[in-house]
Amino acid sequence: SNTLLKNADSALNLAKKQGKNCYIFFTQEMQTVVAERLEIENRMRIAIIENQFTLVYQPKVDLYTKKPVGVEALIRWKHPERGLISPDVFIPISEETGMILA
């Protein structure tokens, strides 16, 4: 019964994200996505403690004058086993969970 409720909850959450007047049937792929997301979230908590995140500064250049006009600060995650983890993997999760502040 616990598995059934968790699976139904996963489908419900995805249906809510899709908008009104829709329904979603649970699939094994949904469970895989949820498990991967949870793993990333847990690894991020460890990464914050172990200072695995670094800032990289990227210059902004005026295309006409070719002179620098500023910089962007970009965050990178250097995982000790998986190497660089793409920001499009961890930033949405960090925003959803509130870890972006840490």
Side-chain angles (χ1 to χ4, degrees):
S1 64
N2 285 340
T3 302
L4 179 62
L5 288 174
K6 284 193 318 191
N7 294 349
D9 193 44
S10 293
L12 176 66
N13 288 334
L14 186 58
K16 285 181 180 179
K17 287 182 183 178
Q18 299 279 331
K20 294 182 180 181
N21 297 325
C22 83
Y23 59 91
I24 303 286
F25 290 104
F26 176 81
T27 64
Q28 190 62 41
E29 180 182 329
M30 289 171 62
Q31 185 171 353
T32 303
V33 168
V34 168
E36 288 172 358
R37 185 188 184 287
L38 184 59
E39 182 173 340
I40 292 289
E41 184 178 332
N42 289 333
R43 288 178 183 251
M44 283 175 49
R45 293 183 195 287
I46 295 167
I48 291 169
I49 293 167
E50 295 181 353
N51 294 316
Q52 295 175 9
F53 291 100
T54 59
L55 283 178
V56 177
Y57 296 97
Q58 176 175 308
K60 294 172 78 174
V61 179
D62 184 301
L63 293 176
Y64 296 109
T65 65
K66 296 186 173 48
K67 292 183 180 182
V69 293
V71 294
E72 286 182 309
L74 307 171
I75 191 162
R76 297 291 180 254
W77 181 4
K78 293 183 182 178
H79 191 277
E81 295 154 5
R82 298 173 82 184
L84 281 176
I85 297 178
S86 177
D88 63 334
V89 170
F90 68 88
I91 287 182
I93 296 171
S94 69
E95 290 173 336
E96 291 171 19
T97 61
M99 280 191 278
I100 194 83
L101 299 174

